[in-house]
């Protein structure tokens, strides 16, 4: 496959997914129901999410896989992009399985009352990367079949 094939599509997937990811960093990702309501923003989750890696923080693992997906799309290794995009989606959605999360450095846990717009923007970026790479993979397969015929 030519390095420049589907370059526009690959760049569009990366840019749109990156914009969703960056937007998620500025928004609240979840609230814990306290009064006055404490909101937790995407930027802090990106920096500190790994600290609860054996709990709700396992969803943080979506970030390295999302970054890998972008790198694989740039390097035109679509199959790898598809696999890493799928893993990013799985890990990001795993946050829905948890009802508590560490809320401070002392190790106190608090409830997750609501997933907010920042979380859904982040998940959308992961899904876009996966679906986009899956679509590219299918286009490449179709193109290869036409060349063989």
């Amino acid at each position: 496959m030519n390095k420049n094939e589907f370059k526009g599509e690959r760049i569009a997937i990366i840019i749109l997914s990156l914009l969703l990811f960056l937007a998620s960093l500025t928004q609240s990702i979840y609230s814990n129901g306290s009064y006055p309501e404490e909101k937790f923003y995407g930027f802090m989750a990106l920096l500190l999410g790994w600290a609860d890696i054996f709990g709700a923080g396992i969803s943080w693992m979506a970030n390295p896989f999302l970054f890998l997906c972008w790198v694989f799309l740039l390097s035109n290794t679509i199959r790898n992009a598809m696999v890493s995009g799928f893993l990013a989606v799985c890990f990001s959605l795993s946050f829905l399985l948890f009802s508590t999360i560490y809320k401070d450095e002392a190790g106190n846990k608090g409830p997750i009352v609501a997933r907010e717009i920042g979380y859904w923007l982040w998940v959308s970026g992961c899904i876009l990367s996966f679906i986009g790479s899956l679509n590219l993979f299918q286009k490449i397969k179709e193109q290869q079949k036409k060349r063989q015929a």
Side-chain angles (χ1 to χ4, degrees), residues 19-141:
L19 287 173
L20 288 168
F21 177 79
L22 292 174
S24 77
L25 296 179
T26 66
Q27 302 298 310
S28 174
I29 54 169
Y30 70 92
S31 61
N32 67 0
S34 64
Y35 183 81
E37 190 164 352
E38 259 184 287
K39 294 190 179 220
F40 298 89
Y41 288 85
F43 183 70
M44 291 308 294
L46 178 64
L47 293 178
L48 301 173
W50 58 269
D52 187 20
I53 202 73
F54 297 112
I58 190 72
S59 61
W60 180 88
M61 288 300 297
N63 294 315
F65 286 112
L66 181 60
F67 298 147
L68 277 174
C69 184
W70 296 336
V71 169
F72 289 138
L73 283 169
L74 279 175
S75 65
N76 204 21
T77 51
I78 305 303
R79 185 183 307 259
N80 293 340
M82 191 174 57
V83 170
S84 58
F86 176 75
L87 290 171
V89 170
C90 291
F91 278 112
S92 66
L93 289 175
S94 73
F95 190 66
L96 295 172
L97 301 174
F98 295 92
S99 59
T100 61
I101 194 165
Y102 285 118
K103 65 178 187 175
D104 57 32
E105 298 83 10
N108 297 317
K109 287 199 167 208
I112 300 170
V113 174
R115 275 81 175 171
E116 300 199 358
I117 187 70
Y119 171 72
W120 297 111
L121 287 168
W122 178 57
V123 170
S124 297
C126 294
I127 291 171
L128 181 99
S129 291
F130 171 60
I131 298 293
S133 58
L134 182 63
N135 185 37
L136 280 175
F137 184 76
Q138 290 174 337
K139 283 183 178 182
I140 290 166
K141 287 294 180 192

